Amino acid sequence: MSGNKKYFAFFQKLGKVLMTPVMILPIAGILLGIGAAFTSASILNVCPALENPFVQLIFKLFKVVGGIVFSNLPVIFAISIAIGYVKREKGIAALAAFISFIVMHKTMSTILISLGKLNPEKLTTGQSLILGIPSLDVGIFGGIIIGFVVAYLHNKYYDIMLPPALSIFSGTKFVPVISILGSIVVGIILSFLWPFVQTGLSSLSLLIKSTGAIGTFIYGSVERLLLPFGLHHFVYLPFFFTSLGGSAEIGGKVVEGAINIFQAQLSSPTAMFDINVTRFLMNGKILFASFGLPGAAFAMYHVARPENKKKVKALFIAAAIPAFFTGVTEPIEFSFMFIAPILYLVHAGMSGLAYFLTYLFNINVPGSSAFGGPFLSTIFNGMLQSSKGSNWIYIPIIGVIYFLAYYFIFKGLILKLNLKTPGRGIEDSLEEDEKNSTISKASDDIIKNIIEALGSKENILSVDACFTRLRVKVKDKSKVADDNKWKKLGANGVVRVQDGVQVIYGNKADVYKNKVREEIGMD
C-alpha cells in the first residue's frame, strides 16, 4: 500500500473509531451551551427573572451534565481507540485504557509535584484536575496516545503464555499489567516534554499582543489548532485574566484582563468598548461558530451519499444547534477533524480570518461562553449595547458571507480530494433502510440461518459490525451463500471483500453481530 493510501486508511479508521464518542457531543453541547448561557452574569443582569433559584438549578444541571462529557473527552477517546483497534477481548482493552489513563496522569502529577512544578492547591494555566488528579492538561492528545499504546500492547500480549511461576498473569490478565507499565513511561515522557511546549506558547502570547491585526489572526488560528492537544487555554486564558489582555482605568478604578475590562465597560455609563479588549474575548468566534461551521455541516450533508443523508442530516442539525446558539463547536469539529485533517487546517485558517475581520470592522461583541456564547452575546452585548460601539450590524452581513465561504470551500475540497466525511465512507456507511428503522430482537432462527449462510461456525474467523453492515471474515469465501440467499434472510445487499463479506442489515447489524458471536461462542 502506498504512503498516501496508508495515510488515508489510518485516518479513515480513526474517524470510524471516534464516530461513537463524536455522536455523543451534540446533545452534550446543547446542554452545556444552554446552561452556560443562562447562568452567565451578563445575561442575568439583563434578565433578572432568570435568577429564580429553581430555574438556575435546572440550568446549572444542564451546564454540569454537558460539561462533564467535554471535560472527560480525553479518557473517552482513550477507551474508544483501545476498543476500536484491538482484535479481541475489547472489554479488557477498555478497562486497561481507563486504568492506563489514570496512571499516566498520576505519574505526571507525582513527578511534577516532586520537582516543585505543580502545586495541587494552586494550579496554573495548563494544569487542571483530571479525574480528580492534579496534572498537566494534555487534552485529547494524551487520551489518543494512551488509546494507541493500550491497543498495541493488547494485540501483542492478550494471548501470551508466561512461565509457570507467573502463569496467573497469562493471557488477558497480562494486558492491564503491561499497559500500566506503558502508561508510566508515557507519563514520564510527557512530564518533561509538555512543559517545554507550554513555555513556547506563553512566548507566543507576547507576539500576539504586539502585532495588532496580524496577531489577532494568529490568536484565532492557533487557538483552534491547539484544541485537539488541550493547549488552546494557553492562547486565551492569559489575555482573559492578566495584563496581557490590557489594563484600563474605568470609573476611577484600574482593572486588568480582557474579561474584567469588558465587564467594567458594560457597567460604566460612559466607557466605550475597545477592539483591543474584545479581540481577546473571542469576537471572531461569532463568525465561525454561528455561521461558518453550520455552513461546513451543510456542505458535508450535501455531499453525503443519498442513502445516508437522512442520518447525516440528524447528526449535523444536532451539532449545528449548539454551534450557532452557544458557540460549542466541538460536535461539528470532531466530526471531520480526524477523518479529514486538511479540512481542520482550513477551518483553523478561516477562524483566524474571522478574528482578523472582526478587528478590521471593529466588532466589539464577545463570543466566549463567559458572555452567554455568540448568539446571546450578539443580542445582549451587541444589539442592546450599540451605543457603546458594539458595531453588531456587521455580524449578520459578514456572517452570511462566512456561511457561504465555508460551504463552498468544504464542498469543493471534499469532492476534489474524495474525503470520507460522515456519510461518504464505505466502512463508515450510515445506510439505513426504512423498513429496518426499528431494531427488533433477533430470533434464534435468523441467527442460525445467517451462520449457515456464512459457511457454518467453522468457516467464521471474526464477526464485527459498523453502523449498518455485518462484517465477517471467513476462511473460505466460496462457502458463503449467494446474494439471493441473503435477500431471503432480510439483507439489503452484500459486499464481498478480500477476506470475507459485509452484509448490509441496516441498523440491525450490531444486534445481529452480538447474536452471531454468542451463538458461535466467540468473545
Side-chain angles (χ1 to χ4, degrees):
M1 184 182 291
S2 69
N4 284 339
K5 288 184 178 179
K6 285 183 179 179
Y7 171 82
F8 284 115
F10 170 79
F11 278 106
Q12 185 176 357
K13 183 171 183 179
L14 181 61
K16 174 182 180 294
V17 168
L18 296 180
M19 183 58 69
T20 298
V22 165
M23 292 184 73
I24 299 172
L25 299 186
I27 183 60
I30 292 172
L31 291 173
L32 174 61
I34 293 174
F38 291 101
T39 56
S40 68
S42 58
I43 301 303
L44 293 178
N45 287 337
V46 178
C47 300
L50 293 174
E51 293 182 358
N52 178 278
F54 179 75
V55 172
Q56 280 298 293
L57 175 61
I58 297 299
F59 286 132
K60 286 177 182 177
L61 284 174
F62 282 7
K63 182 179 179 180
V64 297
V65 169
I68 198 68
V69 175
F70 283 97
S71 61
N72 287 293
L73 271 181
V75 70
I76 294 172
F77 274 35
I79 294 171
S80 298
I81 288 175
I83 292 174
Y85 278 88
V86 300
K87 299 172 183 176
R88 300 189 64 182
E89 304 288 353
K90 294 180 181 290
I92 295 294
L95 175 62
F98 182 75
I99 295 173
S100 297
F101 184 85
I102 296 174
V103 170
M104 176 189 72
H105 278 288
K106 192 62 179 178
T107 299
M108 289 193 290
S109 178
T110 302
I111 291 174
L112 294 172
I113 290 174
S114 299
L115 295 175
K117 295 183 178 180
L118 187 152
N119 180 356
E121 303 299 324
K122 190 177 181 181
L123 299 177
T124 61
T125 303
Q127 301 173 351
S128 61
L129 282 177
I130 311 294
L131 296 176
I133 303 170
S135 178
L136 290 176
D137 186 356
V138 293
I140 64 170
F141 180 74
I144 290 173
I145 290 177
I146 286 297
F148 279 119
V149 167
V150 170
Y152 171 78
L153 295 174
H154 182 285
N155 288 333
K156 188 175 180 65
Y157 295 113
Y158 77 91
D159 57 354
I160 190 174
M161 293 295 296
L162 297 175
L166 299 174
S167 60
I168 189 174
F169 295 112
S170 293
T172 57
K173 293 184 288 295
F174 186 68
V175 173
V177 176
I178 192 65
S179 296
I180 288 173
L181 296 177
S183 63
I184 291 175
V185 173
V186 172
I188 293 172
I189 293 172
L190 290 178
S191 294
F192 294 98
L193 175 63
W194 210 248
F196 284 105
V197 178
Q198 295 176 335
T199 299
L201 292 174
S202 296
S203 300
L204 179 63
S205 297
L206 296 174
L207 173 66
I208 291 172
K209 180 178 176 62
S210 63
T211 51
I214 299 301
T216 304
F217 174 84
I218 297 172
Y219 177 87
S221 297
V222 173
E223 192 271 336
R224 286 295 94 183
L225 285 173
L226 294 178
L227 175 67
F229 305 98
L231 292 168
H232 56 304
H233 307 297
F234 270 85
V235 178
Y236 65 81
L237 286 180
F239 296 100
F240 273 18
F241 301 109
T242 74
S243 59
L244 275 174
S247 176
E249 182 178 343
I250 301 174
K253 181 180 179 182
V254 176
V255 289
E256 293 184 341
I259 281 185
N260 297 326
I261 294 173
F262 189 84
Q263 293 282 22
Q265 290 170 340
L266 276 175
S267 302
S268 170
T270 57
M272 299 291 287
F273 292 150
D274 182 358
I275 192 62
N276 287 309
V277 173
T278 51
R279 70 172 175 142
F280 298 131
L281 296 178
M282 300 186 176
N283 56 359
K285 193 170 188 179
I286 291 178
L287 296 180
F288 75 77
S290 295
F291 298 94
L293 283 173
F298 194 43
M300 288 187 283
Y301 161 73
H302 265 188
V303 297
R305 294 160 60 187
E307 63 270 26
N308 295 333
K309 283 183 179 289
K310 183 177 180 181
K311 200 160 189 177
V312 168
K313 179 180 178 181
L315 170 66
F316 283 129
I317 287 177
I321 289 174
F324 181 83
F325 287 101
T326 65
V328 179
T329 58
E330 286 88 342
I332 294 181
E333 289 167 325
F334 280 103
S335 72
F336 63 83
M337 180 188 295
F338 299 105
I339 299 173
I342 184 66
L343 293 181
Y344 195 76
L345 291 176
V346 170
H347 165 54
M350 293 291 287
S351 299
L353 181 60
Y355 282 84
F356 182 80
L357 290 173
T358 51
Y359 186 90
L360 291 184
F361 284 88
N362 200 33
I363 299 173
N364 292 296
V365 182
S368 69
S369 58
F371 296 93
F375 181 75
L376 291 177
S377 184
T378 299
I379 295 174
F380 295 110
N381 300 315
M383 296 179 182
L384 298 182
Q385 303 293 339
S386 58
S387 62
K388 285 182 171 289
S390 65
N391 294 317
W392 69 270
I393 192 64
Y394 292 114
I395 292 175
I397 298 171
I398 303 175
V400 170
I401 297 172
Y402 239 65
F403 179 93
L404 295 174
Y406 263 79
Y407 173 80
F408 286 110
I409 291 173
F410 267 60
K411 183 177 180 181
L413 286 174
I414 292 169
L415 294 177
K416 183 175 182 179
L417 301 178
N418 192 26
L419 302 176
K420 303 302 181 183
T421 48
R424 286 177 54 80
I426 296 175
E427 297 297 323
D428 306 307
S429 175
L430 299 176
E431 297 168 21
E432 181 176 27
D433 185 21
E434 286 299 319
K435 66 182 180 182
N436 289 327
S437 60
T438 302
I439 299 178
S440 60
K441 184 178 179 181
S443 67
D444 291 339
D445 287 343
I446 188 68
I447 297 304
K448 290 177 181 178
N449 288 333
I450 287 174
I451 294 171
E452 181 184 348
L454 291 169
S456 79
K457 171 182 176 180
E458 289 72 23
N459 194 42
I460 300 173
L461 293 174
S462 69
V463 183
D464 205 342
C466 57
F467 282 99
T468 57
R469 301 189 182 201
L470 186 65
R471 301 166 59 206
V472 186
K473 292 183 179 180
V474 296
K475 295 178 182 177
D476 184 356
K477 278 203 302 182
S478 65
K479 294 182 180 180
V480 177
D482 59 25
D483 291 6
N484 289 330
K485 174 68 174 178
W486 287 110
K487 287 184 179 180
K488 292 179 181 178
L489 293 176
N492 302 318
V494 181
V495 178
R496 300 180 186 276
V497 294
Q498 185 176 1
D499 54 359
V501 292
Q502 298 176 7
V503 189
I504 303 170
Y505 267 118
N507 50 21
K508 291 182 179 180
D510 194 60
V511 176
Y512 284 177
K513 175 202 73 174
N514 294 330
K515 290 292 184 179
V516 169
R517 289 170 70 94
E518 288 176 9
E519 183 68 23
I520 64 178
M522 181 177 290
D523 293 331

